[in-house]
Amino acid sequence: MKTQVAIIGAGPAGLLLSQLLNKAGVSTVVLERQTREYVLSRIRAGVLEWSTVELLRAAGCGDRMDREGIPHDGCYLSTAHGLFRVDFKERCGRQVMVYGQTEVTRDLYDAQDAIGATIIHEAADVALHNLGGDAPYVIYQKDGVTHRINCDYVAGCDGFHGVSRPTIPASVRRDYERVYPFGWLGVLSRTPPAADELIYANHPRGFALASMRNANLSRYYIQVPLSDTVEDWSDDAFWAELKRRLPSRFADTMKTGPSIEKSIAPLRSFVSEPMRWGRLFLCGDSAHIVPPTGAKGLNLAASDVHYLSRALIGACTAGDLSGIDSYSADALARVWQAMRFSWWMTTSLHRFPDQSEFDQKIQESELDYLARSDAAQTAMAENYTGLPF
Ligand code: APR
Ligand code: PHB
């Protein structure tokens, strides 16, 4: 088989890239290790920056998001000093869209189907070859048969555990990492959201977040020790702990119900540089991981796709190599901004096991400053709603 761009991974990064390239007349083949059902069963964050919203619209897959997504103008923060709201729209003129990543992925699949794009599922043992030369190729196994795809470029959109990043020699790569000493226990429930907007809570017992998917589907998280397992947390224990950490104004009236999904996720900040090696381009979680506190994971994948789609369209349709030459630097500049912001939200809102009394006082003053200062709220609003691509 021959294509211009072989895309490894059918997560949001791979599907959105494929969609934008196909629309511009660049041929793609997407190789995904899992089944489509498996990809669509993953539950992840649900807040889209406005630039992500616009990119999804430009890709021709924004209709359902525009009908069913909920634009939010701000969010609540709950701290030792009380509850306050940051009004994103007032502070920086931008909003975010609350719309689940699972729905984004479904819309991308539907859009890919509509244009007849090639997505090969259950592609095993994907291996990337000759990335330093002019004629890269990808080998994979499907149903016991070995297949080869010749291509001009490879986009590594295969997430943190994929094959693309490890294909770049260790001597070329530099990894930067911070692992946080706690996890998030997340619950999805068929209940109305606790509030009209998201609530991020810093509490002596640990961080909590009240989020939502729609009028009758809520997503909640609490900070837990990394040693905890899902079995340690009955639904009743989860609701009781969540209510302790949320402001009583919301906790007292909050509707609870059976969990329909419950999982624990570790938190990490990770960046691998460079994001290009020869004809291989890393995009999305294959190059970086953010802690979920600022909901930047999917949005960073979208900004990478923005730079990479422009670069590959220039190279494949006009022989213009400037975009592919600057891709790594362009994408990383924005990645590090989102790294900084999600690190800041994480360190400002969680209780660290080794937090000294001094650290505690500094954290309280940070949040107190945010509560009082228009400038601090503008900085948060600008970063939360997303810096421009
Ligand atoms: N071969 C083929 N496919 C692979 C391989 C491989 N060796 N390894 C991983 N994959 C697939 C995974 O099964 C997954 O479907 O690559 C896809 C990567 O998707 P995501 O992990 O969703 O990563 P990305 O598309 O970069 O999304 C970034 O979305 O999923 C979230 O947490 C993620 O918020 C982040 C954002
Ligand atoms: C979510 O809805 O799952 C969500 C929202 C905001 C975050 C993280 C997760 O910061």
Side-chain angles (χ1 to χ4, degrees), residues 212-251:
M212 65 189 76
R213 293 291 176 270
N214 59 46
N216 200 35
L217 195 58
S218 298
R219 182 73 168 153
Y220 297 105
Y221 300 93
I222 55 173
Q223 171 188 348
V224 293
L226 276 172
S227 51
D228 281 15
T229 63
V230 167
E231 290 70 42
D232 296 332
W233 287 92
S234 66
D235 285 0
D236 285 349
F238 177 83
W239 293 120
E241 187 59 33
L242 178 69
K243 285 184 172 189
R244 276 189 205 112
R245 298 183 190 185
L246 292 178
S248 57
R249 175 178 147 190
F250 298 113

Side-chain angles (χ1 to χ4, degrees), residues 84-148:
F84 63 98
R85 178 172 178 268
V86 176
D87 191 319
F88 307 142
K89 199 155 184 200
E90 187 182 306
R91 296 280 165 226
C92 71
R94 285 162 77 95
Q95 298 169 291
V96 291
M97 180 77 92
V98 172
Y99 189 61
Q101 181 174 316
T102 314
E103 308 311 318
V104 171
T105 311
R106 188 178 298 282
D107 296 344
L108 285 165
Y109 264 118
D110 289 347
Q112 287 274 272
D113 288 346
I115 58 172
T118 308
I119 307 174
I120 298 166
H121 289 93
E122 297 176 271
D125 302 331
V126 169
L128 317 179
H129 295 279
N130 203 18
L131 297 161
D134 288 343
Y137 61 96
V138 180
I139 300 286
Y140 67 96
Q141 311 286 325
K142 169 127 178 142
D143 302 326
V145 180
T146 302
H147 299 266
R148 173 176 170 142

Side-chain angles (χ1 to χ4, degrees), residues 22 39 123 132 163 170 181 210 272 282 315 318 324 334-335 344 370 385:
N22 277 287
V39 173
V163 66
S272 186
L282 301 184
I324 64 173
R334 198 171 183 287
V335 164
W344 172 79
L370 182 62
T385 58

Side-chain angles (χ1 to χ4, degrees), residues 31-337:
L31 289 179
E32 166 59 49
R33 180 161 60 186
Q34 307 286 354
T35 62
R36 180 169 174 150
E37 294 66 39
Y38 181 94
V39 173
L40 285 171
S41 69
R42 292 192 292 231
I43 296 175
R44 277 147 167 187
V47 178
L48 307 181
E49 295 174 358
W50 215 257
S51 301
T52 304
V53 167
E54 284 167 353
L55 193 62
L56 288 166
R57 286 178 183 156
C61 35
D63 290 355
R64 195 164 66 98
M65 171 187 71
D66 281 326
R67 280 197 311 276
E68 297 177 14
I70 318 165
H72 278 200
D73 290 353
C75 75
Y76 298 102
L77 286 125
S78 165
T79 73
H81 295 287
L83 181 73
F84 63 98
R85 178 172 178 268
V86 176
D87 191 319
F88 307 142
K89 199 155 184 200
E90 187 182 306
R91 296 280 165 226
C92 71
R94 285 162 77 95
Q95 298 169 291
V96 291
M97 180 77 92
V98 172
Y99 189 61
Q101 181 174 316
T102 314
E103 308 311 318
V104 171
T105 311
R106 188 178 298 282
D107 296 344
L108 285 165
Y109 264 118
D110 289 347
Q112 287 274 272
D113 288 346
I115 58 172
T118 308
I119 307 174
I120 298 166
H121 289 93
E122 297 176 271
D125 302 331
V126 169
L128 317 179
H129 295 279
N130 203 18
L131 297 161
D134 288 343
Y137 61 96
V138 180
I139 300 286
Y140 67 96
Q141 311 286 325
K142 169 127 178 142
D143 302 326
V145 180
T146 302
H147 299 266
R148 173 176 170 142
I149 302 175
N150 295 325
C151 55
D152 298 324
Y153 299 101
V154 179
C157 304
D158 46 354
F160 187 63
H161 301 287
V163 66
S164 300
R165 190 178 69 256
T167 301
I168 304 178
S171 57
V172 175
R173 242 172 59 208
R174 175 108 196 250
D175 294 348
Y176 302 83
E177 183 172 55
R178 164 144 313 174
V179 176
Y180 300 90
F182 39 73
W184 274 22
L185 169 63
V187 158
L188 190 68
S189 69
R190 268 189 227 298
T191 49
D196 54 333
E197 292 177 334
L198 272 62
I199 311 163
Y200 288 90
N202 171 286
H203 189 274
R205 298 178 65 90
F207 169 78
L209 167 61
S211 182
M212 65 189 76
R213 293 291 176 270
N214 59 46
N216 200 35
L217 195 58
S218 298
R219 182 73 168 153
Y220 297 105
Y221 300 93
I222 55 173
Q223 171 188 348
V224 293
L226 276 172
S227 51
D228 281 15
T229 63
V230 167
E231 290 70 42
D232 296 332
W233 287 92
S234 66
D235 285 0
D236 285 349
F238 177 83
W239 293 120
E241 187 59 33
L242 178 69
K243 285 184 172 189
R244 276 189 205 112
R245 298 183 190 185
L246 292 178
S248 57
R249 175 178 147 190
F250 298 113
D252 293 350
T253 54
M254 201 177 113
K255 298 273 183 300
T256 62
S259 62
I260 50 178
E261 197 265 351
K262 195 189 279 170
S263 53
I264 295 184
L267 275 73
R268 132 187 8 242
S269 301
F270 172 86
V271 184
S272 186
E273 297 188 357
M275 287 174 63
R276 172 198 179 186
W277 184 62
R279 287 178 178 253
L280 170 65
F281 300 85
L282 301 184
C283 182
D285 276 17
S286 69
H288 41 71
I289 295 287
V290 280
T293 325
K296 291 291 173 224
L298 172 61
N299 294 299
L300 265 191
S303 80
D304 290 353
V305 167
H306 162 78
Y307 293 116
L308 187 53
S309 59
R310 273 199 330 195
L312 292 173
I313 292 166
C316 294
T317 65
D320 172 7
L321 304 184
S322 59
I324 64 173
D325 286 338
S326 65
Y327 169 68
S328 182
D330 292 345
L332 281 167
R334 198 171 183 287
V335 164
W336 277 109
Q337 290 297 315

